[in-house]
Amino acid sequence: MGELLLNTPKRNQLLKDGPPVPTRCQILGRGAYGTVFKAIYRDCAVAVKIIRAHAASTLHNESHLLNLEHRNIVRLLKLESAVQFGLVIMECPRGQCLQRIVDTLALPLMHRVLITLDVVAALRYCHSQNVLHLDVKPTNILVALGIKSSGVGNFSKVKRSYICKLCDFGSSIEMGEYCARQDPINANGTLRYMSPEALRLDSLSEASDIYSLGITMWQLQARRLPYHMLDCNETIAYQVVKHELRPDNYHQLKILALDSPSNSDWNFVNGNNADVTYRKANTSARRNLNLDPSYTAGRDLKKKHRRNRLALHFDSPAPEPSACLENAYSKLYKSCWVSAPQSRLSSFQLKHELELILCRSNKIV
């Protein structure tokens, strides 16, 4: 219903004219350099990202997917480019991005661990192929639903009906490749998840992806967007690099939010009403994702049905985890976001510690 048909004539038209006038059912997502649509390619349901030609580096970065084949990575089927636009055609499993799931459900610890293990597996494979993703965040993790998956490694008693796939390689680079980032505020990637070395425009490594994963792990637990009290990316970048600000430092975030120009009368004194619109547009960057009544007014029934459908995939057979296990999870993500890259957990260490939590939470001998 409403999918783009990606036969040769249609692809040539898209490469020349760009995205069609979208309908609501067609669009899967929007990014800084393009829009992702539902589509049909060779009789299969796919996703197609239509990228503007001036974002040639994004197309180059997406091409890193051509040599990657892993169960936890969205598969690239075809990449085409022309003078005006480029097309990235990818598999499109049935499911939702992790951000929408976090918006809807409070995930049990067991599933937060399983999701993180999937992403760790994807990153370990990318790194083994000399590719850094550099934009790990919940909106770039697709949760494919209805897929029977039994266990992680030797944990055969842990069962689930989903698998997570890392997607959107538009910010990826090959290890050792020069990364032309002149300004971290406008760089590829998402500033609120970027490591201090990325913000300083230093050389990047596997540890840069681990940092972003640590921020994502925190978000799965806290159900808030990173630095949700702050609107100003420049402030966030400065505080992360110079003062080691992290999203769990609520006291410091509150102080910074009170000192922020967006919370003063400066714009009104200067007659600038645009800031009012800006703050309204960025309410989602600060809101608590715990589905408070004011946010769900008028949408309760629809959201309840969606929540109930999703909850079927994220039931936990284990009892509620102890505070000790939650603290162990918190300790892990904090070990991923320390400032010095060499002091962060490696992907191997992170995998091992996550499996220990999984073992303890399910009392697997």
Side-chain angles (χ1 to χ4, degrees), residues 211-278:
Y211 179 96
S212 302
L213 180 55
I215 302 291
T216 298
M217 290 174 65
W218 169 86
Q219 189 173 347
L220 296 184
Q221 183 185 67
R223 301 185 69 218
R224 295 174 183 264
L225 295 174
Y227 315 106
H228 57 282
M229 297 181 187
L230 301 178
D231 291 329
C232 180
N233 279 339
E234 288 86 350
T235 297
I236 294 169
Y238 179 82
Q239 293 293 332
V240 166
V241 172
K242 295 296 184 181
H243 301 293
E244 299 189 349
L245 178 69
R246 297 297 182 263
D248 65 334
N249 191 336
Y250 299 112
H251 176 70
Q252 184 63 18
L253 285 169
K254 186 175 181 180
I255 293 173
L256 291 169
L258 291 173
D259 291 340
S260 172
S262 65
N263 290 296
S264 71
D265 293 328
W266 188 91
N267 289 286
F268 294 99
V269 170
N270 287 274
N272 182 4
N273 292 323
D275 185 60
V276 177
T277 303
Y278 174 79

Side-chain angles (χ1 to χ4, degrees), residues 184-218:
I185 304 301
N186 299 311
N188 287 352
T190 306
L191 184 141
R192 292 169 187 253
Y193 299 83
M194 287 167 64
S195 63
E197 64 269 21
L199 294 170
R200 289 193 303 264
L201 307 178
D202 288 347
S203 60
L204 306 177
S205 67
E206 297 100 320
S208 304
D209 279 336
I210 294 297
Y211 179 96
S212 302
L213 180 55
I215 302 291
T216 298
M217 290 174 65
W218 169 86

Side-chain angles (χ1 to χ4, degrees), residues 1-4 20-28 36-39:
M1 295 294 292
E3 295 94 340
L4 297 178
V21 177
T23 63
R24 186 174 181 181
C25 64
Q26 286 178 324
I27 292 182
L28 292 173
V36 183
F37 293 86
K38 293 181 181 178

Side-chain angles (χ1 to χ4, degrees), residues 34-52:
T35 305
V36 183
F37 293 86
K38 293 181 181 178
I40 299 295
Y41 177 65
R42 295 181 176 175
D43 297 325
C44 293
V46 298
V48 58
K49 182 188 293 187
I50 304 175
I51 299 174
R52 302 173 188 87

Side-chain angles (χ1 to χ4, degrees), residues 280-339:
K280 286 181 179 178
N282 282 274
T283 301
S284 61
R286 300 189 301 273
R287 65 177 171 84
N288 186 331
L289 296 179
N290 285 308
L291 299 176
D292 55 280
S294 62
Y295 178 69
T296 59
R299 305 180 184 180
D300 285 348
L301 187 58
K302 182 177 179 181
K303 286 182 176 291
K304 182 179 180 180
H305 288 163
R306 183 167 69 236
R307 186 166 61 246
N308 289 342
R309 288 196 302 270
L310 277 177
L312 295 174
H313 298 279
F314 297 97
D315 283 339
S316 177
E320 284 297 310
S322 65
C324 179
L325 288 180
E326 283 289 354
N327 289 338
Y329 179 86
S330 300
K331 184 178 178 181
L332 275 188
Y333 63 65
K334 291 179 181 181
S335 297
C336 293
W337 70 28
V338 296
S339 289

